[in-house]
Amino acid sequence: MIRTTNVKKGRVDLTETKCVDEATFIKWNRRLMPKYRDIVLTREAPLGDVGLIRTDEKVFLGQRTMLFRANPDLLDQHFLYYTLLGPTAQAQIRTFGSGSTVEHVRVPDAEKITIPYPDLAIQRKIASILTAYDDLIEVNKRRIALLEKMAEELYREWFVRLRFPGYQDTRFIKGVPEGWEIMPISALCAEIRAGVKKKDMADEEIYIGLEHIPRKSITFKECATADTVDSNKLRFNERDILFGKIRPYLHKVALAHFSGTCSSDTIVLRSHKRLYEGFLLFTVFSETFIELATVASKGTKMPRADWAFLEKLELKIPPSHLLEAFQTKFEELFSLITALLQTNRNAAKTRDLLLPRLISGKLSVEDLDIQYPPSMQDGTEEQESQSKARHV
C-alpha cells in the first residue's frame, strides 16, 4: 500500500510499507491498477508531495493520494511528473489546500491543476535531461544498497556464523572461539549526551531527526538544517552511531559521516577506538540488541530505551587483528557509499536547479540534439489505447 508517508521528494519509497491480502488488493484496485511510471500525489499530511512509481510490483493507493497518468496525445508522462514537481503546479496545490485546519486538496480541485506545456518533442527533450539525473540517482541507490548488504553479510559471516579467517584452526570453548573475550558493549563505546540549546545552533548546520535515521542503514541518506527545529537538541560528531531511542524507532540506526545536531530522542554512541566502529554498528543493527532495547524500554505513552541497561549487554568480542581486518574492509565499503551519496546530492541539486527553468521554458532545449531514450517509452501503446478514458 502506497501511503502518503511513502511519497516524498519526487519518489515513491517502498522500503517500509503495509501489505494486504489479495481480496483487499483487488477491491482497492477495482477502478484502476497503478502501474510502472504512474504519478502519485499526496492530498494531505503532507500536502502536495509527488512521486513516480518505479517498480512493476503490485501496489495500490492508500487514502489521501491521487494517481495521474498523462494523455499521451498531449503530454509526456515524465514531463507531467516534473511539471507537478515544479513551482507553478505546487503553488496551485498550496492554494487549493489553504483555508483549512489541516491542509487538504479535494479530488475535484486536484483535477483543476493547469499544466502549461510545449509540443511533445520539446517535452521529451526536457524529460530526457531531467530523467538522466534521476536515473543516475536510482542506479547509485541500488549500488549503495548492494554495498551495505555486502558489509552486513561480511559481519554475519565472521561474527555471527563464526566463519572468520582462520576459524578452521581455532578451538571453540563452549561456543566461544579461543582468544575471544566476553565483555559488555560499554567496553566498545560510550553514550554521548551533549545537549545544545536552540539559540546556540547555527541555522545552516546539519540536523538529524528520527525521520532522517534510516532503517538499519550504514549511514544517512537524508537530513535537514537546524533552522527547522524549535527546541533543544543533542550534538553528535562524525563517526558517531545514532539510533532511535523511542520504541517505534529502535530499528533506526546509522553511522554519521558528518557532525551536527540530532533529536534528543536519539541515543548517540561513540566508539572508544576506530577499529570498533564497523563491528559496533552491526551489533546495534542486530535483532538481539533491538529486542533487548525493546524489553528495557521505560515509560507508558512513549517507551524509551534505557542505555544504563543496554550498556551491560555482553558480547563475544573478537581479538584486535580480526577487528582491524573487518574495519579495513568496512572502511572501503563505507568510503564508496559516502562517495555515491555525495554524487547523488550533487545530481539532485543540479536537477532541482534545472527543473523550474526547463519546465517554464526559460531554458530553451529546442536546438539541442537529444534523443528520447527507449526506456522512457515503456507502456506508451497501452497508454494510447486508454487515452480517451484517462486524460489529464
Side-chain angles (χ1 to χ4, degrees), residues 195-199 201 229-234 262-264:
V196 56
K197 296 180 179 179
K198 165 62 179 174
K199 65 181 181 65
M201 301 178 205
V229 306
D230 55 8
S231 59
N232 298 341
K233 303 298 178 183
L234 298 177
C262 65
S263 166
S264 55

Side-chain angles (χ1 to χ4, degrees), residues 69-324:
R69 190 177 296 167
N71 171 4
D73 296 331
L74 299 176
L75 284 176
D76 174 79
Q77 180 74 359
H78 289 82
F79 179 83
L80 172 61
Y81 163 64
Y82 290 115
T83 300
L84 289 172
L85 282 171
T88 301
Q90 286 292 312
Q92 293 179 67
I93 294 168
R94 298 294 171 192
T95 300
F96 290 141
S98 62
S100 59
T101 304
V102 177
E103 286 192 319
H104 172 86
V105 173
R106 299 182 308 117
V107 172
D109 287 334
E111 294 174 340
K112 296 176 183 176
I113 299 170
T114 57
I115 304 295
Y117 57 92
D119 63 51
L120 274 170
I122 298 298
Q123 291 180 43
R124 287 170 175 169
K125 286 184 178 183
I126 292 170
S128 294
I129 292 171
L130 296 173
T131 299
Y133 290 99
D134 279 329
D135 286 349
L136 173 63
I137 291 169
E138 289 302 315
V139 168
N140 284 346
K141 283 186 173 182
R142 291 194 291 270
R143 293 174 66 189
I144 289 168
L146 180 60
L147 291 169
E148 290 187 329
K149 188 66 177 175
M150 289 171 60
E152 184 175 6
E153 182 60 25
L154 185 65
Y155 168 84
R156 290 183 178 278
E157 183 71 2
W158 285 21
F159 304 127
V160 178
R161 303 184 192 106
L162 299 181
R163 292 201 287 263
F164 50 86
Y167 78 94
Q168 301 94 330
D169 302 320
T170 301
R171 287 199 311 156
F172 286 73
I173 304 171
K174 295 183 179 181
V176 180
E178 190 174 27
W180 292 41
E181 297 183 75
I182 304 296
M183 291 189 292
I185 194 172
S186 58
L188 303 180
C189 64
E191 183 193 17
I192 306 299
R193 301 296 291 181
V196 56
K197 296 180 179 179
K198 165 62 179 174
K199 65 181 181 65
D200 295 327
M201 301 178 205
D203 286 347
E204 67 278 6
E205 71 178 283
I206 294 173
Y207 170 69
I208 296 293
L210 292 177
E211 68 274 18
H212 302 124
I213 304 177
R215 181 183 177 88
K216 294 187 177 182
S217 184
I218 282 185
T219 193
F220 302 102
K221 276 73 173 181
E222 299 178 4
C223 62
T225 48
D227 60 339
T228 62
V229 306
D230 55 8
S231 59
N232 298 341
K233 303 298 178 183
L234 298 177
R235 293 276 189 206
F236 67 89
N237 290 346
E238 182 181 2
R239 314 299 295 210
D240 284 347
I241 293 173
L242 279 62
F243 70 95
K245 186 177 184 178
I246 303 175
R247 185 179 290 176
Y249 299 96
L250 295 176
H251 60 278
K252 291 198 162 198
V253 183
L255 175 66
H257 59 284
F258 46 72
S259 299
T261 58
C262 65
S263 166
S264 55
D265 286 322
T266 302
I267 290 181
V268 180
L269 299 181
R270 186 168 298 164
S271 299
H272 296 319
K273 296 181 180 180
R274 175 64 66 88
L275 83 163
Y276 297 153
E277 283 179 355
F279 178 82
L280 180 62
L281 176 66
F282 288 110
T283 297
V284 179
F285 273 11
S286 70
E287 291 302 321
T288 300
F289 185 88
I290 293 172
E291 288 173 6
L292 185 63
T294 302
V295 171
S297 298
K298 292 183 176 180
T300 52
K301 290 185 178 180
M302 197 65 74
R304 286 167 167 78
D306 181 11
W307 177 249
F309 183 87
L310 287 173
E311 68 178 350
K312 299 172 185 177
L313 173 65
E314 291 192 336
L315 304 175
K316 299 175 184 177
I317 309 296
S320 294
H321 74 276
L322 272 182
L323 288 171
E324 288 174 0

Side-chain angles (χ1 to χ4, degrees), residues 42-59:
T42 62
R43 297 190 294 112
E44 179 186 319
L47 169 68
D49 274 354
V50 178
L52 191 69
I53 297 177
R54 301 172 183 270
T55 179
D56 288 319
E57 292 185 64
K58 292 181 178 180
V59 297

